[in-house]
Amino acid sequence: MTLDFLKTETASGVILASAALLALLLANSPWADSYFAFIRHEIPIQIGAFHEVKPVDRWIKDGLMAIFFFVVGLEIKHEILRGELSSPRRLALPVLAAIGGIVTPSAVYLLINAGSAGSPQGWPTPVATDIAFALAALAMAGPRLPASLRIFLLTLAIADDLGAVALIAILFTSDVNLYALGGAAASIGLMALMSQWKSAPYLFYAACFALAWAFCLKSGVNTSLAGVAAAMTVPIEPRKPGHEGPLKHFMESLHPYVAYLILPLFAFAAAGFSFAGLSLSTLLSPIPLGVALGLFLGKQLGVFGFSALAIWLKLARRPTGAKWLELYGVSLLCGIGFTMSLFIGGLAFDPHDGLAQTQVRMGVITGSILSTLAGMAVLAYAQRLRGDEV
């Protein structure tokens, strides 16, 4: 399943990049008005007593992205129970590297935004790694490098996602409607009870997840948490000997839709911004500079620094067959924070503050591009060195 996951994520990275580029081109073209009219077009949804009106970009973020976080939750649960996160020896390096990749970028952002003109609330923006982009860049730059590097990057990014979800839960929940939150908890509890019913129809899981999402949306709690919480209730054990379990079934069924449809749609809606009225001084203002340097400098320093320290202290081992230069190249790729950074950055600032939202996008895209180019250059050079040694 890991190999299929890697292949899907690698292909998804190319589509994500294309969707983001298309959004930027449209936002700065004669069709800009049509692009912004589309993502801001309000759509009402009413099912019984449930009624909400949101623009397209908010439905993607609050609706479709909940399915993305459901799949992320399934991946985290699988890795904890059966995958790389289940082995303490294999777990140590990527988890410690992920901690460094959260702490250091946050510190870089806060350092740049420490003054009176800064915006310290944006510090969580550069903490996450985009799995799809990073794996795609690694596959293109170093296809013949040790497979252990890909597993290290995948495990680190999943641990990163877990940290990002925790930050969303802690930082971006306010004005909670306790009745709606109770409804969401009851729906998740019902899903947990269904895990004891071996022949429970999959449609029941979908109905309970939809209920949990709807209550969560009304509660004021970010819907991403409904996705992750629901995923934790899905049983991993097969219903019958020789068959796949519900968790694997949902992962394999939903992952292609998330990788090839939901994430590209999110990238298309979230990445587009107009260059009109922007200048180099705008890019060098605290928010975009903090995000860009947090991703580009903070990520590589945190991931590589914590990895080197863990290896030096004999708390962990280098990925099998990998060299220090290759580990550094992968650390650079961890600065590709595209999807999750855009998502968290959108939460960190007032959605009606157009300038701040644009600056977040500028910082995320700049930091991610720098990390991609530098990481691919280092890994391509490392692969060439391996060829020269043969």
Side-chain angles (χ1 to χ4, degrees), residues 299-331:
K299 271 292 184 180
Q300 60 170 296
L301 291 174
V303 171
F304 188 73
F306 273 57
S307 296
L309 183 62
I311 294 168
W312 181 66
L313 293 174
K314 301 189 184 309
L315 298 174
R317 293 181 179 178
R318 232 186 312 166
T320 306
K323 300 180 179 180
W324 283 108
L325 184 62
E326 295 160 358
L327 186 60
Y328 175 63
V330 170
S331 301

Side-chain angles (χ1 to χ4, degrees), residues 37-47 50-60 62 64 213 217:
F38 167 71
I39 64 173
R40 293 167 184 166
H41 176 67
E42 292 195 337
I43 298 176
I45 292 182
Q46 181 164 4
I47 303 173
F50 177 85
H51 180 259
E52 282 285 338
V53 180
K54 291 179 181 289
V56 169
D57 58 347
R58 293 296 302 179
W59 278 125
I60 293 172
D62 294 336
L64 292 180
W213 169 82
L217 187 69

Side-chain angles (χ1 to χ4, degrees), residues 203-227:
L203 185 61
F204 282 16
Y205 282 99
C208 286
F209 174 64
L211 271 177
W213 169 82
F215 277 121
C216 210
L217 187 69
K218 291 290 190 180
S219 73
V221 174
N222 194 275
T223 55
S224 61
L225 303 181

Side-chain angles (χ1 to χ4, degrees), residues 77-97:
K77 183 173 181 177
H78 177 269
E79 291 300 316
I80 289 174
L81 296 179
R82 298 285 173 80
E84 291 293 313
L85 299 181
S86 64
S87 168
R89 288 181 64 85
R90 288 182 293 180
L91 178 63
L93 185 64
V95 167
L96 290 172

Side-chain angles (χ1 to χ4, degrees), residues 19-37:
L21 179 60
L22 179 60
L24 281 172
L25 290 175
L26 286 175
N28 295 278
S29 74
W31 301 282
D33 289 343
S34 298
Y35 167 75
F36 288 112

Side-chain angles (χ1 to χ4, degrees), residues 266-279:
F266 175 75
F268 180 76
F273 64 90
S274 174
F275 297 140
L278 301 180
S279 63

Side-chain angles (χ1 to χ4, degrees), residues 64-389:
L64 292 180
M65 287 297 282
I67 301 173
F68 161 72
F69 280 100
F70 178 68
V71 174
V72 167
L74 294 174
E75 291 161 0
I76 290 171
K77 183 173 181 177
H78 177 269
E79 291 300 316
I80 289 174
L81 296 179
R82 298 285 173 80
E84 291 293 313
L85 299 181
S86 64
S87 168
R89 288 181 64 85
R90 288 182 293 180
L91 178 63
L93 185 64
V95 167
L96 290 172
I99 292 172
I102 291 173
V103 172
T104 316
S106 303
V108 170
Y109 180 92
L110 286 171
L111 185 65
I112 293 171
N113 282 267
S116 58
S119 301
Q121 73 269 28
W123 67 266
T125 305
V127 304
T129 296
D130 191 293
I131 301 177
F133 266 128
L135 287 174
L138 177 57
M140 287 187 283
R144 296 189 299 278
L145 292 176
S148 60
L149 286 171
R150 293 170 179 78
I151 301 300
F152 167 74
L153 178 57
L154 173 62
T155 310
L156 186 157
I158 289 173
D160 236 10
D161 282 346
L162 187 57
V165 169
L167 288 176
I168 291 170
I170 295 167
L171 300 174
F172 304 121
T173 298
S174 60
D175 300 325
V176 176
N177 182 324
L178 293 179
Y179 294 107
L181 187 60
S187 303
I188 298 296
L190 186 56
M191 288 185 72
L193 287 175
M194 277 198 302
S195 67
Q196 305 302 314
W197 179 17
K198 296 225 177 242
S199 59
Y202 289 148
L203 185 61
F204 282 16
Y205 282 99
C208 286
F209 174 64
L211 271 177
W213 169 82
F215 277 121
C216 210
L217 187 69
K218 291 290 190 180
S219 73
V221 174
N222 194 275
T223 55
S224 61
L225 303 181
V228 174
M232 294 300 136
T233 69
V234 178
I236 193 170
E237 297 296 334
R239 297 179 169 196
K240 296 179 182 178
H243 290 70
E244 65 181 14
L247 187 143
K248 185 176 180 182
H249 171 79
F250 284 132
M251 275 184 67
E252 292 181 345
S253 300
L254 293 174
H255 193 257
Y257 292 101
V258 168
Y260 299 134
L261 178 63
I262 292 175
L263 288 182
L265 272 175
F266 175 75
F268 180 76
F273 64 90
S274 174
F275 297 140
L278 301 180
S279 63
L280 183 61
S281 62
T282 308
L283 180 59
L284 296 178
S285 58
I287 293 175
L289 188 63
V291 172
L293 292 182
L295 288 171
F296 180 59
L297 289 180
K299 271 292 184 180
Q300 60 170 296
L301 291 174
V303 171
F304 188 73
F306 273 57
S307 296
L309 183 62
I311 294 168
W312 181 66
L313 293 174
K314 301 189 184 309
L315 298 174
R317 293 181 179 178
R318 232 186 312 166
T320 306
K323 300 180 179 180
W324 283 108
L325 184 62
E326 295 160 358
L327 186 60
Y328 175 63
V330 170
S331 301
L332 278 165
L333 292 185
C334 291
I336 307 173
F338 188 72
T339 306
M340 286 293 284
S341 290
L342 286 174
F343 186 88
I344 294 175
L347 296 175
F349 294 93
D350 183 349
H352 302 294
D353 187 344
L355 178 58
Q357 294 290 338
T358 295
Q359 289 177 330
V360 166
R361 294 183 180 112
M362 291 174 68
V364 170
I365 291 172
T366 302
S368 297
I369 289 175
L370 289 174
S371 299
T372 302
L373 296 177
M376 290 181 71
V378 169
L379 290 169
Y381 177 67
Q383 181 168 275
R384 193 174 72 186
L385 288 180
R386 279 184 176 266
D388 292 342
E389 293 173 0

